[in-house]
């Protein structure tokens, strides 16, 4: 998995860039102050102070973005909310700095800015892809669907009507037989055989 190393590299690079930008602007402010330079009639003290403040603000901004990348590398989770917005904004800043450094510094500075921009974009894309794959259920089955496991876990009594139980102490189903109020008539018995006595004989 390459996403955690990418997050570590982005965090280190952003920390280094923040420190470098803060140190560069502070150095320029000190030079302007000592040389008493002025641009278009501006006060040298104001130029020196604005350069130092700008360096501190941009340095803290880069350090905060580096902190977000560091937390992503430690937790191994995608940035969300304000952290994601910071990473997207720092990617846009590197694109703009690359366009400026191409004409002011040269192609080497432009190449460095583009490499850092690519690392930030790779960091955002790899975590988004991994989270999207994890949210998809295996086999494409929706969560909580009519799966065999879900059917087996259905509580008893919700599947359909159940047969009523018989009276306690008797076999099941005896209570369901209809009980007649009138007792059944006895079946007619066969007629009794008549015994005829023998006729008396005359001596």
């Amino acid at each position: 998995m390459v996403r955690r190393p990418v997050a570590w590299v982005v965090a280190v690079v952003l920390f280094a860039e923040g420190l470098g930008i803060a140190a560069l602007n502070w150095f320029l402010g000190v030079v302007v102050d000592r040389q008493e330079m002025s641009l278009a009639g501006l006060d040298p003290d104001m130029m020196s102070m604005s350069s130092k403040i700008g360096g501190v603000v941009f340095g803290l901004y880069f350090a905060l973005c580096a902190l977000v990348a560091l937390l992503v590398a430690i937790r191994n989770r995608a940035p969300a909310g304000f952290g994601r917005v910071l990473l997207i904004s720092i990617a846009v800043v590197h694109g703009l700095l690359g366009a400026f450094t191409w004409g002011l510094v040269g192609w080497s500075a432009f190449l460095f800015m583009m490499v850092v921009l690519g690392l930030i974009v790779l960091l955002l894309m790899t975590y988004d892809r991994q989270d999207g794959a994890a949210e998809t259920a295996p086999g494409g089955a929706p969560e909580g669907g009519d799966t065999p496991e879900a059917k087996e876990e259905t509580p008893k009594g919700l599947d359909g009507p159940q047969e009523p139980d018989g009276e306690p102490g008797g076999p099941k189903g005896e209570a369901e037989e209809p009980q007649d109020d009138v007792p059944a008539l006895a079946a007619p018995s066969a007629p009794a055989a008549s015994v005829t006595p023998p006729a008396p004989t005359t001596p």
Side-chain angles (χ1 to χ4, degrees), residues 3-17 62 65-70 87 90 115-123:
R3 58 182 190 175
R4 294 192 73 177
V6 169
W8 282 108
V9 171
V10 170
V12 172
V13 171
L14 290 181
F15 270 122
E17 284 186 335
F62 273 76
C65 296
L67 180 61
V68 173
L70 181 62
L87 290 181
I90 200 66
V115 169
V116 179
L117 172 61
L119 289 175
I120 298 173
V121 173
L122 181 62
L123 170 64

Side-chain angles (χ1 to χ4, degrees), residues 42-134:
L42 295 176
D43 186 9
D45 294 335
M46 181 179 297
M47 292 179 59
S48 175
M49 184 62 64
S50 62
S51 178
K52 293 178 181 179
I53 293 176
V56 171
V57 170
F58 274 97
L60 291 177
Y61 168 69
F62 273 76
L64 185 59
C65 296
L67 180 61
V68 173
L70 181 62
L71 292 177
V72 170
I74 293 175
R75 298 175 180 176
N76 198 20
R77 290 187 300 179
F82 184 66
R84 184 179 181 84
V85 173
L86 283 177
L87 290 181
I88 294 175
S89 65
I90 200 66
V92 175
V93 168
H94 277 82
L96 296 176
L97 290 177
F100 284 116
T101 54
W102 175 266
L104 297 176
V105 181
W107 66 270
S108 58
F110 172 78
L111 181 61
F112 174 77
M113 292 296 172
M114 292 301 102
V115 169
V116 179
L117 172 61
L119 289 175
I120 298 173
V121 173
L122 181 62
L123 170 64
L124 294 172
M125 292 181 61
T126 52
Y127 275 93
D128 288 346
R129 185 180 305 171
Q130 184 70 19
D131 292 345

Side-chain angles (χ1 to χ4, degrees), residues 146-201:
D146 296 336
T147 58
E149 293 78 2
K151 292 182 179 180
E152 291 178 2
E153 295 177 359
T154 305
K156 185 178 180 182
L158 300 180
D159 295 335
Q162 298 180 354
E163 297 181 357
D165 297 333
E167 296 180 359
K172 183 179 179 181
E174 287 185 358
E176 299 177 1
E177 297 180 0
Q179 302 293 333
D180 296 333
D181 296 333
V182 180
L185 297 177
S189 59
S194 58
V195 179
T196 303
T201 58

